[in-house]
Amino acid sequence: MRVGLVLEGGAMRGMYTAGVLDSFLDCGIDVDGIVGVSAGACFGCNLFSGQRGRVLRYNQRFAGDVRNVSLLSLLLTGDIVNRRFAYYIVPTKYDVFDEAAFEAHGGEYRVVVTNVNTGEAEYMQMHHLLQDIEMMRASASMPFCSRMVKIGGQKYLDGGIADSIPVRAALELGYDKLIVVLTQPAFYRKEAMDPRMIRAFYGRYPNLCRTMIDRHERYNAQCDDVAQLERDGKVFVIRPKEKLSIRRLEKDPQVLARVHAIGLEDGLACMDALRAYLQA
């Protein structure tokens, strides 16, 4: 039996996901593959490397550091999340990612990206995390405040634009059981964005514009689909009970810790039900 894990994005709402994954490490829950989007793509790798608490630790340490996430970085580089510091210095110097453990795990690790020319989602597999880090960066390159990431001659942005909750993509990969970690409560539904702003920024990419304009409809349909799959017992969903009180680029270490603690608590609370689902 192959067990897959789908991780929604949501910028710093991903601290909830990090807490859930730490509960997995505490309780010995493992999976054969992960499909992560944006923050989910960035944080999910620590499950395979077995580095409990790492996501909370480095986010708290660098929450207010202008080298990490800042308007200064946006002005100087075009990326509000600094490419060099966040993706190349932190995981190799300040809070070292255990690449050897990640590779020894052997699980399939895919990140969702949006091709700006086609407007379609792609599901890139990361074999060597630090070598393939641009895939992860593309998945988390939020529109309007990030440059497009070029990989293999194509340009990409945040995977959440085209596929925010890649449950159907994960099912097509052949997983027998699927755990889904969401960062919005069950009642949440996304509202439309102003198409004028989208076209003002990305008018050169008409397919991307169409995908962005329709995103709320696609996201809300995915929420309904996940809810039905959950009722049918085909997926196991972990989500916050209420809307998380955290800014997209939160800089308060205490808020980060609080949201992480909610995820940890929710993960532990559902552990018996999760084990029953996996064993059924």
Side-chain angles (χ1 to χ4, degrees):
M1 180 183 72
R2 296 179 71 236
V3 178
L5 174 63
V6 170
L7 303 176
E8 184 185 10
M12 281 299 111
R13 292 199 313 272
M15 295 308 300
Y16 176 86
T17 301
V20 172
L21 297 185
D22 281 347
S23 79
F24 286 11
L25 289 170
D26 288 344
C27 298
I29 299 296
D30 197 10
V31 298
D32 299 289
I34 296 175
V35 183
V37 185
S38 197
C42 292
F43 297 162
C45 57
N46 297 279
L47 180 64
F48 279 0
S49 66
Q51 290 177 279
R52 189 196 189 283
R54 179 174 177 269
V55 174
L56 178 61
R57 185 172 62 241
Y58 72 73
N59 275 287
Q60 285 188 304
R61 179 178 179 183
F62 299 111
D65 196 318
V66 296
R67 297 173 298 172
N68 188 38
V69 180
S70 66
L71 291 176
L72 180 62
S73 176
L74 180 62
L75 291 172
L76 294 179
T77 71
D79 293 311
I80 198 165
V81 178
N82 188 274
R83 173 184 180 270
R84 181 171 178 270
F85 187 80
Y87 290 97
Y88 288 89
I89 294 179
V90 170
T92 59
K93 179 180 179 181
Y94 291 124
D95 204 316
V96 176
F97 180 74
D98 193 340
E99 178 101 34
F102 176 87
E103 294 184 9
H105 183 281
E108 182 179 24
Y109 198 80
R110 291 184 182 270
V111 299
V112 186
V113 297
T114 299
N115 185 311
V116 302
N117 289 305
T118 66
E120 298 293 327
E122 296 180 17
Y123 308 89
M124 295 185 172
Q125 185 170 359
M126 300 180 70
H127 297 281
H128 309 283
L129 190 128
L130 295 177
Q131 293 178 30
D132 298 333
I133 199 71
E134 289 297 290
M135 296 179 186
M136 180 180 288
R137 190 170 75 88
S139 183
S141 289
M142 297 178 290
F144 308 115
C145 58
S146 306
R147 292 173 295 175
M148 296 175 182
V149 178
K150 193 171 183 179
I151 301 173
Q154 295 291 325
K155 294 179 180 178
Y156 298 95
L157 277 175
D158 196 307
I161 297 170
D163 194 352
S164 297
I165 309 174
V167 167
R168 289 294 170 179
L171 289 173
E172 289 178 5
L173 290 171
Y175 293 109
D176 304 294
K177 298 281 186 174
L178 206 58
I179 307 167
V180 183
V181 180
L182 304 179
T183 59
Q184 295 282 16
F187 57 81
Y188 174 80
R189 291 298 181 270
K190 190 178 291 294
E191 297 181 356
M193 289 185 61
D194 187 342
R196 295 170 298 181
M197 183 173 71
I198 293 171
R199 293 191 180 101
F201 272 82
Y202 299 114
R204 293 176 54 199
Y205 302 92
N207 291 327
L208 177 67
C209 288
R210 282 192 290 271
T211 299
M212 293 181 74
I213 291 169
D214 296 340
R215 184 187 179 192
H216 67 292
E217 296 178 355
R218 190 167 50 256
Y219 180 88
N220 295 339
Q222 287 181 317
C223 289
D224 294 339
D225 185 37
V226 168
Q228 185 60 55
L229 289 169
E230 182 182 22
R231 286 191 293 269
D232 294 341
K234 295 181 179 179
V235 301
F236 190 93
V237 182
I238 304 173
R239 58 165 75 84
K241 299 176 183 64
E242 303 292 338
K243 192 171 177 63
L244 299 170
S245 297
I246 187 170
R247 293 174 294 182
R248 288 186 63 80
L249 298 175
E250 183 63 61
K251 294 182 179 296
D252 187 334
Q254 292 184 347
V255 175
L256 297 174
R258 177 176 53 77
V259 173
H260 177 275
I262 294 171
L264 181 64
E265 181 180 352
D266 285 357
L268 293 173
C270 74
M271 200 54 61
D272 289 343
L274 175 57
R275 288 198 175 102
Y277 165 77
L278 295 176
Q279 294 168 4

